[in-house]
Amino acid sequence: MNVLLIGSGGREHALAWKIAASPMLTRLFAAPGNPGIAREAECVALDSADHRAVLSFCREKVIDLVVVGPEAPLVAGFADALREGGVRVFGPSAAAARLEGSKGFTKDLCARYGIPTAAYGRFGDPAAARAYVEKAGAPIVVKADGLAAGKGVTVAMSSREAIEAIDACFEGSFGAAGAEVVVEEYLDGEEASFFCLCDGATALPFGTAQDHKRVGEGDTGPNTGGMGAYSPAPAMTPELVGRTMREIIEPTMRGMAEMGAPFSGVLYAGLMLTADGPKLIEYNVRFGDPECQVLMPRLKDDILVLMRAAADGQLGHMSVRWRDEAALTVVLAAKGYPASPEKGAPISGINAAEAEGATVFHAGTAERDGQLVAAGGRVLNVTALGRTVAEARRRAYAAVDGIGFPGGFCRRDIGWRAIEKERLPT
Ligand code: AMP
Ligand code: GLY
């Protein structure tokens, strides 16, 4: 198969690495890719916003499958344009991508199908949103409706903070994404990421992971795209996976199909494991970043077989097998991330880190005059397997310590929740 992968982050490097291991692969292209992806794929300067250019590339290179990493092209109708042009795509239509593109859409779907989630209100003007906050009280959560690059959510500990967040949304802090606001009940519990591969009708459970969203150790400081992850998430017991499938995923798949927007691709449920059971925080319509970097090393099966089956409506015949080991990834970020990451620091020691047994996925890197340099906020994902999360963590940090990256930093406590559980007597 000839495959075109869209994206340029650590998630896409992990996908490229796994796709490149498939015996079914003939040629792998990535647009635009990054220096790590370039080890696995031929990187091409194609703009995914230019649907016609991508279609003609697919015809010229006889592409059998397009794999879309990030959400923005999906929400913008990239998969629809390719399908209309007769190209097979792994990723949802724009109508199905509303599950991530509009928080209000997803909340209404939950209300209609009885899917457990936080109680909420949707507001198009600040006065009504403020009145809701005053009535409900704090803690309370304020969300810009649309895509805000992970920055549109405020978990407010006081009504004042919530009202400031509402005003910021309507004053345009998140652009068009904040023209509508969702205000919702604060949920207490442990968070987990749960993934399914979907083909429009069938949802196949595809692993669990836990992310670390805050920049600082002990889950402190501002939110980021994710500073590290591990898989599986021990908090997601088989019983909770079963409940999540029955109470959250399956009604969503049914609802989307009934609405004429059947979901295919990756459905990523952000869950809060509350005392009343799993509740949906949000959906994403793509793999998590950095969660993908811990799923791919654990996957035994051929990802291309699974993605093609998802695109062809054939997942009902498939199963997924995982290695017994845990995987853990540590994000190395540039100085100043997340507010204002510094670019240009030289990076060295990746080969030595990999010789330690880790895999280093590139996120924001670039090559200048033959030197690898930092070119984004999250720069590298140092990933290792182990019999336990604690062992995977030891291996990952041993590799991290061999990497030269002036000003670069990481959290030293990735995996702490799972490691605490591993220490408990069973
Ligand atoms: P999101 O961008 O929707 O993933 O939200 C970012 C983070 O905000 C989540 O990972 C949670 O930690 C937190 N969050 C979102 N909604 C709620 C909620 N209803 N209750 C508590 N925390 C929440
Ligand atoms: N790691 C969180 C996300 O990908 O949305």
Side-chain angles (χ1 to χ4, degrees):
M1 283 171 78
N2 293 327
V3 177
L4 170 64
L5 170 67
I6 305 295
S8 62
R11 166 182 51 209
E12 287 78 21
H13 188 184
L15 289 171
W17 173 85
K18 186 67 187 164
I19 291 170
S22 167
M24 298 212 322
L25 184 72
T26 312
R27 282 178 90 179
L28 176 59
F29 299 92
N34 67 31
I37 294 172
R39 300 198 307 227
E40 316 288 353
E42 301 169 53
C43 293
V44 291
L46 255 183
D47 177 4
S48 64
D50 186 346
H51 298 169
R52 280 183 45 194
V54 177
L55 265 176
S56 68
F57 179 87
C58 290
R59 293 205 179 103
E60 188 193 315
K61 302 293 184 195
V62 200
I63 297 294
D64 300 292
L65 178 70
V66 177
V67 175
V68 189
E71 65 279 13
L74 297 167
V75 171
F78 180 75
D80 306 78
L82 291 185
R83 279 194 194 103
E84 276 159 30
V87 177
R88 189 194 275 123
V89 192
F90 178 75
S93 67
R98 282 179 297 174
L99 284 173
E100 177 164 1
S102 168
K103 297 196 187 287
F105 171 84
T106 297
K107 297 302 286 191
D108 288 352
L109 179 93
C110 289
R112 195 156 148 204
Y113 289 91
I115 295 167
T117 187
Y120 74 105
R122 285 180 83 166
F123 303 99
D125 73 273
R130 282 195 217 116
Y132 185 95
V133 167
E134 266 145 25
K135 186 148 174 272
I140 195 159
V141 182
V142 177
K143 302 184 172 183
D145 180 76
L147 290 185
K151 298 188 182 80
V153 175
T154 304
V155 179
M157 288 302 150
S158 67
S159 301
R160 208 183 116 192
E161 197 187 337
I163 285 167
E164 281 169 10
I166 289 168
D167 290 343
C169 278
F170 286 114
E171 280 159 15
S173 292
F174 306 111
E180 190 178 315
V181 166
V182 170
V183 182
E184 68 177 36
E185 170 200 7
Y186 172 81
L187 299 174
D188 200 18
E190 186 170 340
E191 278 181 63
S193 304
F194 178 62
F195 300 87
C196 288
L197 298 184
C198 304
D199 69 358
T202 299
L204 190 63
F206 194 74
T208 61
Q210 229 148 7
D211 189 10
H212 300 64
K213 285 194 202 269
R214 303 299 191 100
V215 75
E217 275 151 34
D219 297 328
T220 55
N223 258 330
T224 69
M227 293 299 292
Y230 56 88
S231 174
M236 279 298 280
T237 59
E239 190 238 329
L240 284 178
V241 168
R243 269 187 83 171
T244 303
M245 288 304 292
R246 281 191 307 279
E247 296 174 13
I248 299 179
I249 305 293
E250 279 156 15
T252 299
M253 292 296 287
R254 244 188 343 266
M256 295 302 287
E258 277 172 24
M259 230 178 274
F263 187 90
S264 71
V266 182
L267 185 59
Y268 156 4
L271 302 174
M272 190 69 86
L273 307 178
T274 74
D276 301 330
K279 293 195 180 181
L280 182 70
I281 300 177
E282 59 161 2
Y283 274 132
N284 295 306
V285 298
R286 44 148 181 103
F287 280 114
D289 185 344
E291 290 97 322
C292 187
Q293 291 86 310
V294 286
L295 290 173
M296 290 305 128
R298 291 188 52 238
L299 179 63
K300 270 190 185 166
D301 291 301
D302 184 337
I303 190 74
L304 272 189
V305 172
L306 290 163
M307 286 175 162
R308 187 175 64 176
D312 289 345
Q314 298 294 319
L315 276 182
H317 309 293
M318 310 296 282
S319 61
V320 181
R321 288 167 309 156
W322 300 98
R323 289 164 169 267
D324 287 335
E325 294 134 295
L328 183 138
T329 190
V330 176
V331 170
L332 276 172
K335 184 175 177 187
Y337 178 74
S340 48
E342 279 178 16
K343 290 189 182 165
I347 296 164
S348 58
I350 290 188
N351 290 344
E354 294 205 313
E356 289 279 321
T359 305
V360 180
F361 295 121
H362 290 225
T365 65
E367 225 158 59
R368 303 257 154 74
D369 307 322
Q371 168 68 50
L372 191 67
V373 298
R378 295 188 293 171
V379 177
L380 297 173
N381 309 136
V382 181
T383 311
L385 291 164
R387 277 167 303 165
T388 59
V389 175
E391 187 178 88
R393 170 155 94 168
R394 267 195 304 279
R395 290 184 177 153
Y397 281 118
V400 163
D401 291 338
I403 292 176
F405 176 11
F409 73 97
C410 65
R411 274 179 64 165
R412 302 295 309 190
D413 66 343
I414 300 304
W416 68 270
R417 274 200 184 78
I419 290 168
E420 252 173 31
K421 287 198 180 89
E422 285 174 356
R423 287 203 186 113
L424 292 174
T426 45

